Amino acid sequence: MAINILTTGQLESFVNNLIGAGNVVGVQKKENKFAYAPLKKAKDLVLDYDVTLLPPKKYIMPQWETLIKFKINDKVEVADASETTPLTIVGIHPYDLKAINQLDHLFQEKNEDGNYLKRRAATTIIALTPARASKWSFWASMDSVSVDKGYDLLLTDIGGKYAVETGTPKGEELLKKFAKCDAASSDDTKKLSEIKKSIAKLCNSDRKINATTKELKTILQKHRESKIWDEKAEKCYSCGSCNMICPTCYCFDVLEKLDLSLKGGSRYRIWDGCQLADFAKIASGENFREERKDRYRHRFYRKWEYLFGSKLNEPACVGCGRCSSVCLPDITDPVKIFNSLKEEK
């Protein structure tokens, strides 16, 4: 679709117009880190960040979501408690958008998740080409440098102004309604192309997996009994931080809560993670991944083998590096793990 140009001032006015028209969230400074939060004014928006604490999936797949409410009288009365509010998210990097594209596919495969799909349909995404990468990022190794779908608009800083690519008719309508912009010149288009070609270089040179994404599945198949799983798992706290901070993890637990009167309550779902000790515990009390080694190894096989092929045509990892940044014993880094496995005989 068309490429337009917004000056810094025009972009600020555009975002302020969006804020005036509805709910908008964007990346903002949080001490020495960055996080998505509701925007009150465009000046709070940070567009040169490296990575956010939590991925933007939290707005489409909330950490806590009430599904139904019920009353217990002569008969049980059940009411849908799901809520959907139109939302605009500004500043999503390609790797996080790639993760959302995967969730879109997974939540509509076979048994559709109506709550997720309604919330996704009500979400407008203004993506952003990265200007920086965190020291943990390895998205260049995960083919997550760019995306060609999922966004309504895509912003790229081309030096003092922003190139705006429209991805959907909704994005085109946003520009017409809330922005004043000009068509990109040939020089603007050339600059945009040059920047996109150099994005992969933002990741540190030592943050590279020495294999293609397709080779990773084969590496795992050959090293199921590697001693690396035992060595790393010994240090694992089973805290689940790597799950909770991951943009592609989508497991959840469904629970029910009774009111004190015992005459009503609600059913809700919360994020869950395969590294937690009771994740694979079933009603009989048996836990079929009771050992830390089994849980630790499962995370890698789940993302780079089980989903790859059966549900996705790519690994369920986008190289954001968040899991590595929060792991206290430093055992979750896929770059270190895969390079070690490849070297192992």
Side-chain angles (χ1 to χ4, degrees), residues 43-57:
K43 285 189 179 296
D44 293 335
L45 181 64
V46 178
L47 296 178
D48 62 348
Y49 72 96
D50 50 10
V51 70
T52 56
L53 290 169
L54 281 175
K57 82 168 185 185

Side-chain angles (χ1 to χ4, degrees), residues 266-324:
S266 60
R267 176 178 294 170
Y268 62 95
R269 65 178 175 187
I270 57 174
W271 288 358
D272 204 354
C274 60
Q275 299 308 290
L276 299 175
D278 289 341
F279 179 80
K281 191 174 184 178
I282 57 178
S284 66
E286 182 178 354
N287 190 334
F288 52 89
R289 275 198 296 275
E290 188 172 10
E291 299 297 323
R292 278 185 300 175
K293 171 190 172 181
D294 295 333
R295 295 195 299 274
Y296 176 81
R297 180 175 58 185
H298 171 78
R299 177 174 171 267
F300 285 87
Y301 279 79
R302 171 73 169 169
K303 290 186 176 297
W304 282 275
E305 184 187 0
Y306 304 156
L307 286 176
F308 190 2
S310 63
K311 293 181 179 293
L312 300 170
N313 292 320
E314 57 194 5
C317 171
V318 294
C320 68
R322 290 184 177 96
C323 60
S324 310

Side-chain angles (χ1 to χ4, degrees), residues 8 18 23 55 60 94 102 104 113 116 137 155 159-160 167 180 192 195 205 219 226-228 231 271 277 303 325 330:
T8 303
L18 290 174
N23 297 316
I60 308 171
Q102 289 187 359
D104 290 349
D113 189 304
Y116 175 91
S137 298
L155 303 174
K180 290 182 179 180
L192 175 62
I195 288 173
S205 57
I219 290 173
S226 169
K227 62 182 181 181
I228 289 175
E231 293 172 356
W271 288 358
K303 290 186 176 297
S325 70
D330 190 21

